Amino acid sequence: MRPGRPALPEWIRRLPEYLMIWVPLLLSAAHLISFSLWTIWISFTPSTLIPVTGWVGLRNYSAVLASRNWQIAFDNLLLFGGAFVVLSAATGLILAILLDQRIRGENVLRSIFLYPLAVSFVVTGTVWSWLLNPGLGIQKLVHDLGWTSFRFDWLIDRDMAIWTIVIAAIWQSSGFAMALFLAGLRSVDADIIKAAQIDGAGPVRIYRRIILPSLWPITITVAVIQLQFAISTFDLVRALTNGGPGIATQLPALVVYDLMFQRSLLGRGAAAAVLMLLILLAVLLPYAAWRYIQRRRAAHA
């Protein structure tokens, strides 16, 4: 400030901060809340192609929950979500432990493992649909090499098709888990590890008793983030299997799309979307409570 010039008021000095941060945040929050409330309202109306007023109570929810599409989609979500979260976290942890050995070319390997994050889910689904197509991908390659009895046709197998989505999702997201676990591994106190080594503890015991328990908060965070992805998965399934064969790989997001934009049942589609929101809250609210308890304990420690 030049001598002799009055100081600007605090709110004027912080005006750029308000415009750049708080205004977009408030607009985003207003957009999210208003459309969530609108969806909840529509779910209680007899809306079809166009939103209409009226009140049908829980009829749309009963119809969605009783439909075979939703039951298959919910079963698939349990299978896909459980397998995807466990296997992607395990893959990310193993990759992080290998990179943490201070190997040569770590930066190159880390970039390779993180590369799938730069690819959209539509591209991932399309590429994996080519690889898993029996007439184009891995099965055809092995047949051309002379092993004609080899079969890898999970993409058209009603019982195994859901696992093709699990494989593609793990390839897409394990790098993200690796990055979080690697940051956790690098933050473990080196003095504790050295003390354990002086006491004669081997690498396996150090990982089992010291390092892996310290990664527990990161493991919870990875699981919650991956579960959010699993619940909202749409474009990956749309590009890879389009819910097929038949409806064998339907997930809740595809049911919402089918009801709203293919069958023009706006009220039922909104009810399915609200059910998805409730599933998401069932994951996020316990996590928020757990984080609150952790912060309280840390503050009183």
Side-chain angles (χ1 to χ4, degrees):
M1 184 181 69
R2 293 181 180 177
R5 296 188 62 179
L8 293 174
E10 178 70 13
W11 70 272
I12 292 181
R13 289 196 298 108
R14 301 191 65 178
L15 187 59
E17 173 189 336
Y18 297 144
L19 294 177
M20 297 297 293
I21 299 177
W22 288 107
V23 171
L25 282 177
L26 291 174
L27 288 176
S28 298
H31 174 271
L32 178 66
I33 294 172
S34 61
F35 275 92
S36 297
L37 294 176
W38 185 83
T39 302
I40 293 173
W41 172 70
I42 287 293
S43 70
F44 291 102
T45 67
S47 301
T48 51
L49 183 61
I50 300 174
V52 297
T53 57
W55 181 262
V56 295
L58 297 175
R59 189 184 306 168
N60 287 328
Y61 291 90
S62 301
V64 170
L65 291 173
S67 68
R68 184 166 174 264
N69 273 10
W70 178 263
Q71 292 170 2
I72 291 176
F74 187 74
D75 292 342
N76 284 339
L77 177 61
L78 295 178
L79 176 61
F80 168 68
F84 164 65
V85 170
V86 172
L87 295 178
S88 65
T91 304
L93 178 60
I94 292 171
L95 293 176
I97 291 174
L98 293 176
L99 285 180
D100 194 44
Q101 306 310 309
R102 311 291 180 181
I103 59 176
R104 298 179 64 179
E106 177 188 330
N107 291 336
V108 175
L109 292 174
R110 191 166 51 195
S111 300
I112 292 173
F113 296 146
L114 286 173
Y115 173 74
L117 283 176
V119 180
S120 71
F121 289 116
V122 174
V123 174
T124 297
T126 303
V127 171
W128 277 97
S129 68
W130 292 341
L131 290 173
L132 299 174
N133 189 316
L136 297 173
I138 298 173
Q139 179 172 303
K140 185 177 186 304
L141 174 64
V142 177
H143 285 186
D144 292 343
L145 293 174
W147 187 3
T148 56
S149 62
F150 175 79
R151 289 191 59 188
F152 190 54
D153 55 355
W154 289 6
L155 197 63
I156 58 174
D157 187 325
R158 297 180 65 87
D159 296 326
M160 300 301 294
I162 189 68
W163 292 101
T164 63
I165 301 173
V166 174
I167 292 172
I170 290 172
W171 181 83
Q172 175 86 23
S173 302
S174 58
F176 168 74
M178 179 210 70
L180 292 186
F181 281 126
L182 186 60
L185 289 171
R186 296 284 164 82
S187 65
V188 176
D189 193 343
D191 292 337
I192 298 177
I193 296 177
K194 287 181 180 178
Q197 290 172 336
I198 293 172
D199 289 342
V204 175
R205 190 177 180 188
I206 290 175
Y207 268 98
R208 185 167 57 87
R209 301 295 297 272
I210 299 175
I211 296 178
L212 293 182
S214 68
L215 296 179
W216 180 244
I218 295 178
T219 305
I220 297 293
T221 302
V222 169
V224 170
I225 294 174
Q226 303 288 48
L227 273 174
Q228 293 180 63
F229 163 73
I231 293 170
S232 61
T233 296
F234 172 78
D235 38 10
L236 178 62
V237 184
R238 180 78 174 169
L240 182 56
T241 65
N242 197 21
I247 56 172
T249 56
Q250 285 270 32
L251 286 177
L254 268 77
V255 175
V256 174
Y257 176 81
D258 177 57
L259 290 172
M260 281 191 172
F261 302 109
Q262 292 184 319
R263 302 189 189 189
S264 299
L265 297 173
L266 194 58
R268 289 190 186 182
V274 174
L275 290 174
M276 281 186 61
L277 177 63
L278 294 178
I279 296 172
L280 191 60
L281 290 177
V283 174
L284 293 180
L285 291 181
Y287 175 70
W290 176 76
R291 290 295 303 266
Y292 175 76
I293 293 172
Q294 291 293 106
R295 284 196 295 268
R296 288 290 300 269
R297 287 178 178 174
H300 291 86

